[in-house]
Amino acid sequence: MRFYKYSGSGNDFVFIDHRDGSARITPTLVQKWCSRREGIGADGVVLISSSQKADLSLRIFNSDGSEAEMCGNATRCAVHFAHEVLKLKEEPKYTIETMNGLYEGEAVDDTLVRIKMTELYDEGSINIDDLSGKNALYLNTGVPHAVIQVSSVEDVNVCAVGSAIRNDVRFPKGTNVDFFEVVDLQQKTIKLRVYERGVEDETLCCGTGVMATAVACSRFFNWKGEITVFAKGGTLQAIVEDKDLYFQGRVKLVFIGEVDE
């Protein structure tokens, strides 16, 4: 089976062209492929399929084999894959079907991809004020996020603290945990580190986490327009304009290979 290894600002995925329906993916297989030492190595596996509602559809699996409702970075990489590799159409704008519904994406240039984020709900539905001495907000941008302001992201033990919060009883289905530090209040720049549910570890970037944190900052500091986010995997931009939410950054096709099913 041919696969395509992608990185969306350090959040990496194994992509499979599943338009013919031939791929037989199991949780065990996902875990083997995602293994950093004995497999391909990735945060998840993504199947690209045809769709009756959109230009393409996605099934997204976390590295532990569980299926994700949505992933911002996987969706960005999917747009690049569809446009630059599969060459589904000449127009750089795509509609993408996920478990959560339809999204719009655009290949701005040969590596920059922008996604319009359509999911924003459950804002403040769970009180997490006790998790930060500064600001904190729970919300869902496709998957649940607990956004927590800290003085320095470098001083946070993301794995230990993130795991404890992710498994807190107040989150019945768990949550991603986003630790952010304000770099410049006037320039609307932040640093971000994320503990990701399903990966059960810190990831270099989380698209829905970037968006969730940007929305939270818009509430905390009345920020509007473009917000710059420094993640471990690179620099990204989130755009918050009333109900219009956009997320953009660079993606990279790392390599192409074949793997035995």
Short mmCIF file of all heavy atoms in Angstrom, two decimals, residues 51 114 132 140 144 176 178 181 184 214 248-249:
data_model
loop_
_atom_site.label_atom_id
_atom_site.label_comp_id
_atom_site.label_asym_id
_atom_site.label_seq_id
_atom_site.Cartn_x
_atom_site.Cartn_y
_atom_site.Cartn_z
N SER A 51 -16.58 11.78 -1.94
CA SER A 51 -17.72 12.25 -1.16
C SER A 51 -18.83 12.70 -2.09
O SER A 51 -18.56 13.26 -3.16
CB SER A 51 -17.30 13.41 -0.25
OG SER A 51 -18.42 14.02 0.36
N ARG A 114 -5.07 27.39 3.92
CA ARG A 114 -6.00 28.05 4.84
C ARG A 114 -7.28 27.22 4.95
O ARG A 114 -7.81 26.74 3.95
CB ARG A 114 -6.33 29.46 4.35
CG ARG A 114 -7.33 30.20 5.25
CD ARG A 114 -7.72 31.54 4.66
NE ARG A 114 -6.57 32.41 4.49
CZ ARG A 114 -6.19 32.97 3.36
NH1 ARG A 114 -6.88 32.73 2.25
NH2 ARG A 114 -5.14 33.76 3.30
N SER A 132 -6.20 27.84 36.21
CA SER A 132 -5.23 28.90 35.90
C SER A 132 -5.39 30.06 36.86
O SER A 132 -6.51 30.40 37.26
CB SER A 132 -5.43 29.41 34.46
OG SER A 132 -4.62 30.54 34.19
N ASN A 140 -15.26 24.06 22.28
CA ASN A 140 -15.10 23.00 21.29
C ASN A 140 -14.96 23.63 19.91
O ASN A 140 -15.84 24.37 19.47
CB ASN A 140 -16.29 22.05 21.33
CG ASN A 140 -16.03 20.75 20.59
OD1 ASN A 140 -15.58 20.75 19.45
ND2 ASN A 140 -16.34 19.63 21.24
N PRO A 144 -12.98 18.92 21.81
CA PRO A 144 -12.97 19.73 23.03
C PRO A 144 -11.57 20.22 23.41
O PRO A 144 -10.58 19.51 23.23
CB PRO A 144 -13.52 18.77 24.09
CG PRO A 144 -13.23 17.40 23.57
CD PRO A 144 -13.34 17.51 22.08
N ASN A 176 -8.55 17.97 24.91
CA ASN A 176 -7.22 18.47 24.62
C ASN A 176 -6.93 19.60 25.60
O ASN A 176 -7.85 20.28 26.07
CB ASN A 176 -7.12 19.00 23.19
CG ASN A 176 -7.17 17.90 22.15
OD1 ASN A 176 -7.45 16.75 22.44
ND2 ASN A 176 -6.91 18.26 20.91
N ASP A 178 -4.61 23.09 26.14
CA ASP A 178 -3.78 24.08 25.46
C ASP A 178 -3.20 25.06 26.48
O ASP A 178 -3.95 25.79 27.13
CB ASP A 178 -4.63 24.86 24.44
CG ASP A 178 -5.45 23.94 23.56
OD1 ASP A 178 -4.84 23.11 22.87
OD2 ASP A 178 -6.69 24.05 23.56
N GLU A 181 1.00 31.31 26.35
CA GLU A 181 1.69 32.45 26.97
C GLU A 181 1.56 33.64 26.02
O GLU A 181 1.81 33.50 24.82
CB GLU A 181 3.15 32.08 27.18
CG GLU A 181 4.08 33.23 27.51
CD GLU A 181 5.54 32.84 27.38
OE1 GLU A 181 5.85 31.62 27.33
OE2 GLU A 181 6.39 33.76 27.34
N ASP A 184 3.13 39.23 23.07
CA ASP A 184 2.94 40.67 22.88
C ASP A 184 1.46 40.95 22.78
O ASP A 184 0.80 40.52 21.82
CB ASP A 184 3.66 41.12 21.60
CG ASP A 184 3.73 42.64 21.49
OD1 ASP A 184 2.69 43.31 21.67
OD2 ASP A 184 4.83 43.16 21.22
N ALA A 214 -6.96 30.88 19.98
CA ALA A 214 -7.19 32.20 19.37
C ALA A 214 -8.56 32.74 19.75
O ALA A 214 -8.71 33.93 20.07
CB ALA A 214 -7.05 32.10 17.86
N GLN A 248 -4.46 29.07 9.28
CA GLN A 248 -3.56 28.83 8.15
C GLN A 248 -2.13 28.63 8.61
O GLN A 248 -1.71 29.10 9.66
CB GLN A 248 -3.63 29.97 7.15
CG GLN A 248 -3.05 31.29 7.63
CD GLN A 248 -3.14 32.38 6.57
OE1 GLN A 248 -4.01 32.36 5.71
NE2 GLN A 248 -2.23 33.33 6.63
N GLY A 249 -1.39 27.89 7.77
CA GLY A 249 0.01 27.62 8.05
C GLY A 249 0.60 26.78 6.93
O GLY A 249 -0.09 26.38 5.99
#
